[in-house]
Amino acid sequence: MKQPSRMPRRAFITSMASSAGVLLAGCSQTDPPTYGHVLRMGDLLTYKAHRLLLPAQSLAREYDYADISSVPAIGTTNPSGHKEHGPVYERLLANRFADWRLPVEGSVARPLAFSLDELKRMPSRTQITRHTCEEGWSAIAQWTGVPLRSVLESAGIRSTARFVQFYAYDGWVDGIDMLDALHPQTILAYGMNGRDLPISHGAPLRARVETQLGYKSTKFLRRIVVTDHFDDHGARGFIQNGWSWYAGI
Amino acid sequence: MASFTALALSGFFILMVHPRLYWGHVGNDLTPALLTLPISNNYRPEELQSRMVFTEVPGAPVTAERNFHIFNQNGWARSLHFLAAWILVGIGAIYVALGVSSGHVKRDLLPSGRELSPRSLLQDLRNHFSPRVGSAGVGPPYGLLQKLAYTSVMFVVLPLMVATGLTMSPAVTAAYPILLDVFGGYQTARTIHFFGFTVLVLFLIVHVAMVIATGFSRQLRAMTWGSEQ
């Protein structure tokens, strides 16, 4: 009987070791940076694999009204105490956000600032979706808001635009790529479970990014900026604090 | 082995952040759990503040604020978990492809129908508990229980870990919602993922114990560089 050969295995091990470097290819300004950090390279691989393999614009599951569940509010539950924006937020809150404006600027043809009423007058979308927190818990809630796409289109997205950055009253800064920004379920929500968005859940307006983990759905929106290049937001951004920027996981 | 250890350790850290397991689509600090594990102090329901109901209907969903600090190392833990998963899935795919094409899986790993009789199963089980260890050679032929352990880990538990892992991804389940139906929800997938983790850690402990019992350096050389016989 012929013995199975052991030699191809040795040749295989040696060749694998020498070709591992090929995987560490460079990246452009339209990719999240890795800073040469191996974990960020893994994050980039996951992001690229999702964008390559998953059909774009698939809708996240929408649930029934009866599925709506209890939901904890975590992170910032009231930005009034924030050193920089807290006093402004408190003033806006006292006036029930009548003076609140959302500037939409950056790589757009016509920079605009929306009032809450203007956003509410635009065609709305209501969706009952699952909030998936990075911590491991989940909750189902009904969200009502205006598709981010409509807001961006009314400001006129430039053809060079690649990312949308969210700035919040609690100092939170984050961004998503244009594919998620134009997703039909990515909305700027002002309503939750048939009521005005509670303060603890991000009043007066929060993002809902249903194809990513909960932390990408920025609460307490203050400003939206469209950019042509990736913005890591420096020391305040996710990446430099050791978190994955892409959280479609 | 390094990937496996990285996955197990980072997985444990991730679980510590929310040490409760549920069944279905939903589960959080305001809903009942299937299992609450005493591995961190993150679950403190009595410290949640400003409880508020959404409607006045009895049993209606509520919200409450969590304003205390929790243990959370998910930044590096989840990124490490995925990096190790990519590596392990890559190695696993190569191993299975080589194993099937070389006939290793069919010849050495899958138990033959004759072997699977209750009598030979019992015999192999009895042999494992006899004091006489060290008789096992290196590499194939494998024992019956050994074959069953290897094949179930390779073709049942590990694929299940990948599938339940993917079911926890909002982007993947948007593209393939069937995953949510197959496992019965995000939280069910998470719970099955935890049970799979338990099985794999037990397998690893037994596997390493058997390798040590039958000659550590001899077995390790045979597994990596190939045996000289």
Side-chain angles (χ1 to χ4, degrees):
Chain A
M1 201 174 102
K2 194 171 161 270
Q3 265 304 87
S5 165
R6 306 277 174 195
M7 284 316 288
R9 194 197 304 194
R10 292 179 193 179
F12 174 73
I13 294 171
T14 351
S15 65
M16 275 301 281
S18 58
S19 61
V22 176
L23 287 168
L24 306 173
C27 45
S28 69
Q29 278 183 305
T30 48
D31 283 332
T34 64
Y35 311 110
H37 194 301
V38 70
L39 292 181
R40 302 289 85 82
M41 289 179 198
D43 296 342
L44 181 62
L45 174 64
T46 304
Y47 173 55
K48 287 288 180 187
H50 276 208
R51 288 293 175 256
L52 184 71
L53 300 173
L54 297 178
Q57 310 289 302
S58 316
L59 296 185
R61 167 145 307 174
E62 297 200 10
Y63 295 84
D64 294 331
Y65 194 80
D67 296 325
I68 292 175
S69 75
S70 293
V71 47
I74 64 157
T76 310
T77 49
N78 188 334
S80 293
H82 189 264
K83 227 189 306 175
E84 196 181 341
H85 312 295
V88 181
Y89 184 84
E90 221 167 13
R91 221 166 35 240
L92 293 170
L93 176 64
N95 202 8
R96 301 188 66 202
F97 300 110
D99 300 323
W100 175 91
R101 294 288 180 280
L102 180 75
V104 178
E105 50 205 19
S107 200
V108 291
R110 301 169 294 279
L112 293 169
F114 294 86
S115 71
L116 205 52
D117 278 342
E118 283 169 336
L119 290 172
K120 284 181 177 173
R121 275 200 299 271
M122 292 173 74
S124 72
R125 190 178 205 284
T126 294
Q127 57 201 32
I128 302 174
T129 49
R130 193 186 68 244
H131 180 91
T132 309
C133 181
E134 66 88 18
E135 293 171 6
W137 57 264
S138 59
I140 293 175
Q142 184 194 57
W143 307 99
T144 301
V146 49
L148 176 58
R149 180 181 201 131
S150 315
V151 171
L152 295 178
E153 279 174 349
S154 60
I157 314 163
R158 288 217 183 107
S159 62
T160 47
R162 290 291 176 273
F163 297 93
V164 175
Q165 316 295 342
F166 299 125
Y167 292 81
Y169 277 100
D170 60 349
W172 192 277
V173 223
D174 199 9
I176 54 176
D177 68 6
M178 206 41 97
L179 203 70
D180 275 335
L182 299 180
H183 189 282
Q185 286 169 322
T186 299
I187 62 172
L188 303 177
Y190 43 73
M192 179 182 185
N193 295 341
R195 301 175 155 208
D196 282 347
L197 190 64
I199 294 172
S200 61
H201 289 279
L205 193 76
R206 73 174 298 173
R208 289 298 313 164
V209 183
E210 307 294 359
T211 50
Q212 297 203 42
L213 291 179
Y215 70 78
K216 297 301 286 188
S217 292
T218 308
K219 306 202 283 189
F220 313 110
L221 286 177
R222 181 168 66 84
R223 185 162 80 106
I224 288 179
V225 179
V226 180
T227 59
D228 296 349
H229 300 299
F230 188 89
D231 190 347
D232 70 355
H233 299 292
R236 291 164 82 192
F238 270 93
I239 305 189
Q240 291 194 20
N241 285 301
W243 289 77
S244 176
W245 167 79
Y246 179 67
I249 68 171
Chain B
M1 188 71 193
S3 294
F4 185 91
T5 313
L7 277 165
L9 272 177
S10 56
F12 190 78
F13 271 94
I14 294 168
L15 186 64
M16 281 174 76
V17 177
H18 193 76
R20 306 180 85 214
L21 296 164
Y22 316 83
W23 213 249
H25 291 271
V26 161
N28 58 57
D29 284 357
L30 296 169
T31 68
L34 192 69
L35 208 63
T36 300
L37 302 163
I39 53 172
S40 74
N41 189 28
N42 281 0
Y43 176 57
R44 278 127 71 186
E46 67 288 345
E47 289 179 44
L48 296 175
Q49 302 166 330
S50 316
R51 221 176 153 85
M52 180 196 97
V53 291
F54 281 102
T55 58
E56 300 308 322
V57 183
V62 301
T63 185
E65 298 173 11
R66 190 190 72 200
N67 289 317
F68 56 87
H69 188 76
I70 64 160
F71 169 86
N72 187 337
Q73 292 294 318
N74 274 352
W76 64 264
R78 190 171 30 248
S79 290
L80 178 63
H81 202 71
F82 291 169
L83 181 66
W86 277 115
I87 295 170
L88 199 70
V89 165
I91 293 174
I94 294 170
Y95 175 80
V96 168
L98 287 178
V100 169
S101 66
S102 71
H104 175 56
V105 168
K106 202 163 165 235
R107 187 180 57 236
D108 305 318
L109 284 172
L110 289 175
S112 65
R114 194 155 28 89
E115 266 181 300
L116 279 175
S117 72
R119 217 168 63 100
S120 52
L121 253 171
L122 215 69
Q123 180 61 44
D124 198 27
L125 203 65
R126 212 173 303 134
N127 285 348
H128 273 79
F129 288 101
S130 76
R132 181 182 52 84
V133 269
S135 62
V138 293
Y142 300 131
L144 177 59
L145 285 179
Q146 199 178 6
K147 283 183 185 179
L148 287 176
Y150 289 171
T151 47
S152 55
V153 162
M154 208 182 315
F155 298 111
V156 181
V157 185
L158 285 176
L160 196 65
M161 290 306 272
V162 174
T164 49
L166 289 173
T167 308
M168 286 187 262
S169 155
V172 173
T173 52
Y176 303 103
I178 188 173
L179 283 167
L180 288 171
D181 299 323
V182 167
F183 292 111
Y186 165 86
Q187 291 295 351
T188 312
R190 183 170 172 263
T191 300
I192 296 172
H193 201 75
F194 168 74
F195 289 145
F197 155 82
T198 316
V199 169
L200 287 174
V201 168
L202 287 177
F203 166 79
L204 186 77
I205 291 170
V206 173
H207 180 62
V208 170
M210 297 305 262
V211 167
I212 291 170
T214 58
F216 184 72
S217 58
R218 189 174 61 116
Q219 291 281 20
L220 218 61
R221 195 164 53 240
M223 278 183 231
T224 51
W225 204 237
S227 61
E228 298 297 342
Q229 53 197 311

